[in-house]
Amino acid sequence: SALINLPFTFDFYGTPYNALYINNNGNISFQTPYITWSSNPFPDSTFNMIAPFWADVDTRGSMDSLGNLIGNGGNVWYKVTPTALIVNWNQVGYFNMHTDLVSTFQLIITNGTDSLISAGGNVSFCYQDMQWTSGDASSGIGGFGGVPATVGVNVGNGLNYFQVGRFDQTGVSFDGPVNNNDGVDFLDGQ
């Protein structure tokens, strides 16, 4: 997106921000837009982001053999309130224009006082049905394998971060943030 001004201050590990970018590939960033589609594990000292699902999102839809648009690739919607930003990646497909599997997830950031998030918190990840993990540009095949999707927060200083997990397969397997890659269905309804 273009730079989005916030009517509140978001505290990101002690740094106040009043503006951000919504990136199509399942994350937001504060200093510059971030277009990289293949995710890295956190921490990473080269960028800052909040990533409910950093992966190879493609909202363009799918085409038939004649080049006609036949499927919706989903949408990225956002709403700014006086104390919160809500971003929805709604039924988004994966690169290259695949819509056979779609995922729906949400990010909420607040000033820390909004009741959308429990007291004292300022970030929330929410998931509906998560159906894929990796697009073609991330070496995925049929939406899986290849470079795993990353879920977490990265300040960009190599020190402050949290990683929920890295996801590259179907199923509900989950063994923590830094062990084996996990099953994307673990996120469903979380």
Side-chain angles (χ1 to χ4, degrees), residues 1 6 18 23 30 39 47 49 56 58 76 88-90 101-102 121 128 132 136 140 161-162 167:
S1 71
L6 302 173
N18 296 97
N23 303 305
F30 297 94
S39 72
F47 59 89
M49 76 167 51
D56 203 359
D58 193 341
V76 180
N88 289 318
W89 286 263
N90 185 44
L101 302 172
V102 293
Q128 282 187 335
W132 62 269
D136 300 358
Y161 73 99
F162 75 82
F167 299 84

Side-chain angles (χ1 to χ4, degrees), residues 160-178:
N160 298 330
Y161 73 99
F162 75 82
Q163 182 169 287
V164 172
R166 301 207 60 206
F167 299 84
D168 69 352
Q169 58 197 279
T170 62
V172 296
S173 63
F174 183 78
D175 63 355
V178 293

Side-chain angles (χ1 to χ4, degrees), residues 60-83:
R60 295 177 296 168
S62 57
M63 302 282 208
D64 66 14
S65 61
L66 300 175
N68 299 311
L69 187 64
I70 59 171
N72 181 357
N75 296 290
V76 180
W77 303 101
Y78 74 95
K79 179 178 181 175
V80 178
T81 74
T83 56

Side-chain angles (χ1 to χ4, degrees), residues 28-96:
I28 63 170
S29 55
F30 297 94
Q31 297 165 341
T32 61
Y34 199 76
I35 61 169
T36 301
W37 50 85
S38 293
S39 72
N40 297 323
F42 297 151
D44 187 311
S45 61
T46 62
F47 59 89
N48 73 352
M49 76 167 51
I50 298 175
F53 195 74
W54 177 20
D56 203 359
V57 173
D58 193 341
T59 56
R60 295 177 296 168
S62 57
M63 302 282 208
D64 66 14
S65 61
L66 300 175
N68 299 311
L69 187 64
I70 59 171
N72 181 357
N75 296 290
V76 180
W77 303 101
Y78 74 95
K79 179 178 181 175
V80 178
T81 74
T83 56
L85 169 77
I86 304 149
V87 185
N88 289 318
W89 286 263
N90 185 44
Q91 296 196 350
V92 293
Y94 59 98
F95 190 83
N96 182 16

Side-chain angles (χ1 to χ4, degrees), residues 58 72-73 91-95 97-104 129-134 141-144 170 184:
D58 193 341
N72 181 357
Q91 296 196 350
V92 293
Y94 59 98
F95 190 83
M97 299 175 73
H98 297 289
T99 58
D100 57 319
L101 302 172
V102 293
S103 292
T104 298
D129 188 17
M130 303 297 288
Q131 298 180 354
W132 62 269
T133 64
S134 309
I141 298 173
F144 299 99
T170 62
V184 72

